[in-house]
Amino acid sequence: MEQRFDVSKLIPDGYKAMYGVHTCVQNSGMDLGLLELIRLRISQINGCAFCVAMHVPLGRKFGLSEHQIHLVATWKEAPVFSAKERAALAWAEAVTVLVSQDVPDAVYAEVQAHFSAEEIAKLTFCIAEINAWNRLMVASRTPPALTDA
């Protein structure tokens, strides 16, 4: 598959703005491992090879276990995630896949049990950020940077 276009070169101001959103999310005070877990799962849902390849090593860097990385696609059945991580993953999936243009109240109630309103807003900002990156990379067919490390 050949890359269609490079958004960073064609619209550098837009790319810089997106990176600003990323910096805001990274500096939000949220656990970086949790943010990487969310980014990895959403990138899987959206079929973004570029972002999956990026967020696996970042997940490791910020404390995700190999089991969590390998089992995130099946998080509902995998016993390696805490109740808080499960609530965040359910929220991430509900906000990403807007079935009937709704995020269910039950999912919101579960995330509310583990996170403050401010933390939920920060999680939602992370979800919006990675969804935007996924769409940019998938539409442009940006290939993953593959390394053996």
Side-chain angles (χ1 to χ4, degrees):
M1 185 164 45
E2 188 173 321
Q3 185 171 5
R4 291 175 171 158
F5 56 88
D6 185 337
V7 71
S8 69
K9 291 180 181 167
L10 295 172
I11 308 176
D13 288 344
Y15 190 84
K16 184 178 176 182
M18 280 297 302
Y19 196 77
V21 172
H22 173 74
T23 301
C24 175
V25 170
Q26 286 299 99
N27 295 330
S28 69
M30 296 295 291
D31 177 83
L32 296 178
L34 180 65
L35 296 180
E36 290 304 325
L37 185 66
I38 288 169
R39 290 177 177 132
L40 178 56
R41 179 64 189 128
I42 292 171
S43 296
Q44 290 173 336
I45 291 168
N46 290 328
C48 184
F50 179 88
C51 293
V52 168
M54 176 184 290
H55 294 291
V56 166
L58 287 171
R60 285 184 186 112
K61 176 180 177 181
F62 293 115
L64 296 182
S65 72
E66 288 301 311
H67 289 300
Q68 289 173 309
I69 290 168
H70 292 293
L71 295 173
V72 68
T74 57
W75 66 268
K76 291 175 187 173
E77 293 82 26
V80 298
F81 300 101
S82 69
K84 186 174 184 174
E85 290 165 334
R86 289 176 185 284
L89 287 163
W91 183 250
E93 287 189 6
V95 173
T96 297
V97 183
L98 293 172
V99 177
S100 304
Q101 299 177 338
D102 187 34
V103 177
D105 289 338
V107 177
Y108 181 66
E110 184 61 26
V111 79
Q112 244 183 339
H114 298 279
F115 296 94
S116 69
E118 182 179 355
E119 290 171 326
I120 295 168
K122 290 175 180 178
L123 287 173
T124 307
F125 217 74
C126 176
I127 294 162
E129 174 217 355
I130 193 60
N131 271 293
W133 281 120
N134 289 167
R135 280 147 179 78
L136 288 167
M137 298 301 106
V138 170
S140 65
R141 290 190 177 160
T142 301
L146 301 175
T147 63
D148 291 333

